[in-house]
Amino acid sequence: MRFDTLVAIALVFIPFSLTSIGGGAAIVAGIQHETVTVHAWVNSREFLDLFAVSRAAPGPGMMLATVIGWKVAGWLGAFVATLALFVPSSLLCYSVFKLTNHHRDKKWHRAMREGLAPVGIGLIIAGVLSLFRLADGGVTAFVIAGLSGVILYFAPRFPVLGVLALGGLAAMLASTLSTWVSSL
Amino acid sequence: MTSPVPASPLETPRLRSLFLLCFKIGVLSFGGGLSGWLYREFVLSKRWIDEEDFSSSLAISQMLPGANVVNLVICMGEQLRGPVGALTCVLGFLVGPFFAVVGLCQLFDALAGYPLLPVISDGVAFAAMGLLIIMCVHGVRRAMRFPPSIVTIAVTAILVGIFRFPLIPVACVIAPISVALAWRRI
């Protein structure tokens, strides 16, 4: 049973490793679908919590897989999920880099670089959309995400951890305020 | 150790130094945007990699699947110390975040009884979405130079994000078309 779970974790994350064009943000929508809807390893609430945790911790956003693996099957699950998500893409990057770095001025190399970039961006937008749907946070979600985007756009050097903390604080204030207003 | 002939102005780092540098960047890497940091360390401060090698590595890391930073440290490691160097860099980079993220998860579970925790967690997730939105804004602005790229972005986002088509087949169909369009343009 436990072994089956580990295999299932690997089988879910390996294909995502090779489709995470533009990084981990591109596969949030897909990971959510597989782990919440298809396998029911975590519910929507837990998925959002894990997303928040993976963003508040250091490291690439792809560590979302690590915490899902940990939630499903403990340390071993975390280890398998991490390997499944990082090994295939790393091997691919290593081989492509080694084989093509000398051809970087060639036309096909440029076409590949410029052609893949918009696919990655489209996938990230899809990820944002599915997170919004999952969070179902209404106005608060839009306001906090919008403000955080504005801060980071105009002040790129503003510490990310600070923005995340402000987001948590703002949500807390909004919730306290609305409880207080409705109790009047 | 003195060498009479300065074969290369760039020195070859030891594996241990590579591991430690990547480890440091890994544990301190909050919220992405690390390419700038790697540039500062590998190119400017340690002078292990030259400008042009760095920017071509960056382009490859960004176009291929995988976390950009992880791909980038693989390219750095390969250039400096071959396959062993690449492995050293990846391990050094990921080992810190691996334990940090699980640790944070445990902390989160330990605080689970606290009623405001889901609210705060939502707030953090919303703020993190802002980070993703910024990536989208920059990407869309870059794509403006070539209108078909905007179409690619829109079709991908709508199919996966709104119609909830499975991500992997969509990416496998759209990516070659997008590369072919870029090929015709340049």
Side-chain angles (χ1 to χ4, degrees):
Chain A
M1 169 60 202
R2 193 171 158 78
F3 182 72
D4 289 353
T5 315
L6 294 178
V7 173
I9 292 174
L11 290 180
V12 162
F13 288 115
I14 287 170
F16 283 120
S17 177
L18 295 171
T19 37
S20 56
I21 302 167
I27 49 174
V28 172
I31 292 182
Q32 181 231 311
H33 182 254
E34 283 291 323
T35 58
V36 180
T37 315
V38 177
H39 290 277
W41 283 333
V42 289
N43 59 37
S44 307
R45 172 74 257 162
E46 289 168 328
F47 185 86
L48 269 181
D49 290 343
L50 293 175
F51 172 74
V53 164
S54 72
R55 292 287 150 165
M62 287 174 99
M63 304 305 274
L64 172 61
T66 308
V67 281
I68 290 176
W70 184 76
K71 200 89 185 164
V72 177
W75 283 104
L76 214 50
F79 189 65
V80 169
T82 311
L83 287 184
L85 202 55
F86 285 103
V87 171
S89 64
S90 296
L91 286 178
L92 181 72
C93 178
Y94 181 82
S95 329
V96 171
F97 180 74
K98 210 168 153 59
L99 294 175
T100 70
N101 195 34
H102 305 294
H103 305 284
R104 62 193 181 210
D105 297 324
K106 298 240 169 81
K107 185 179 167 184
W108 59 267
H109 205 262
R110 259 188 73 197
M112 249 172 81
R113 293 197 311 247
E114 299 199 3
L116 289 177
V119 180
I121 300 297
L123 291 178
I124 298 176
I125 296 176
V128 174
L129 292 174
S130 65
L131 280 171
F132 266 115
R133 193 162 46 223
L134 203 63
D136 196 19
V139 187
T140 323
F142 283 100
V143 171
I144 293 179
L147 283 180
S148 127
V150 167
I151 292 176
L152 291 165
Y153 189 81
F154 290 104
R157 305 191 71 88
F158 196 93
V160 170
L161 217 51
V163 175
L164 298 183
L166 284 177
L169 200 67
M172 199 169 79
L173 285 178
S175 147
T176 325
L177 209 66
S178 70
T179 341
W180 181 68
V181 168
S182 61
S183 71
L184 284 181
Chain B
M1 209 181 86
T2 51
S3 162
V5 190
S8 157
L10 308 169
E11 51 172 318
T12 307
R14 301 199 307 181
L15 287 176
R16 201 182 54 171
S17 333
L18 266 184
F19 184 90
L20 289 176
L21 179 63
C22 291
F23 181 80
K24 185 182 93 180
I25 297 176
V27 266
L28 296 175
S29 63
F30 288 100
L34 282 168
S35 316
W37 195 345
L38 285 168
Y39 176 78
R40 210 172 60 201
E41 292 288 344
F42 280 89
V43 182
L44 298 181
S45 120
K46 304 268 197 263
R47 311 213 323 118
W48 287 341
I49 301 274
D50 71 27
E51 295 265 353
E52 199 185 332
D53 282 336
F54 186 87
S55 55
S56 83
S57 307
L58 184 63
I60 289 184
S61 318
Q62 285 174 337
M63 88 177 173
L64 291 176
N68 294 341
V69 216
V70 174
N71 287 349
L72 194 52
V73 297
I74 288 172
C75 300
M76 304 283 101
E78 155 65 19
Q79 281 170 85
L80 293 167
R81 297 295 305 258
V84 184
L87 191 65
T88 305
C89 286
V90 182
L91 285 180
F93 183 79
L94 286 180
V95 71
F98 178 83
F99 289 104
V101 80
V102 174
L104 198 61
C105 212
Q106 285 172 320
L107 181 70
F108 191 93
D109 285 351
L111 296 173
Y114 184 58
L116 274 177
L117 190 70
V119 176
I120 296 174
S121 159
D122 273 350
V124 173
F126 300 151
M129 286 182 221
L131 260 167
L132 303 189
I133 293 173
I134 289 305
M135 291 172 74
C136 302
V137 171
H138 285 298
V140 170
R141 277 183 48 188
R142 267 199 310 277
M144 292 288 206
R145 290 175 300 175
F146 183 56
S149 295
I150 300 285
V151 179
T152 307
I153 291 177
V155 171
T156 314
I158 290 168
L159 287 182
V160 178
I162 295 176
F163 293 115
R164 305 200 211 181
F165 278 39
L167 182 153
I168 292 171
V170 171
C172 291
V173 170
I174 295 184
I177 299 176
S178 177
V179 172
L181 286 172
W183 169 265
R184 283 187 48 193
R185 174 174 59 106
I186 53 181

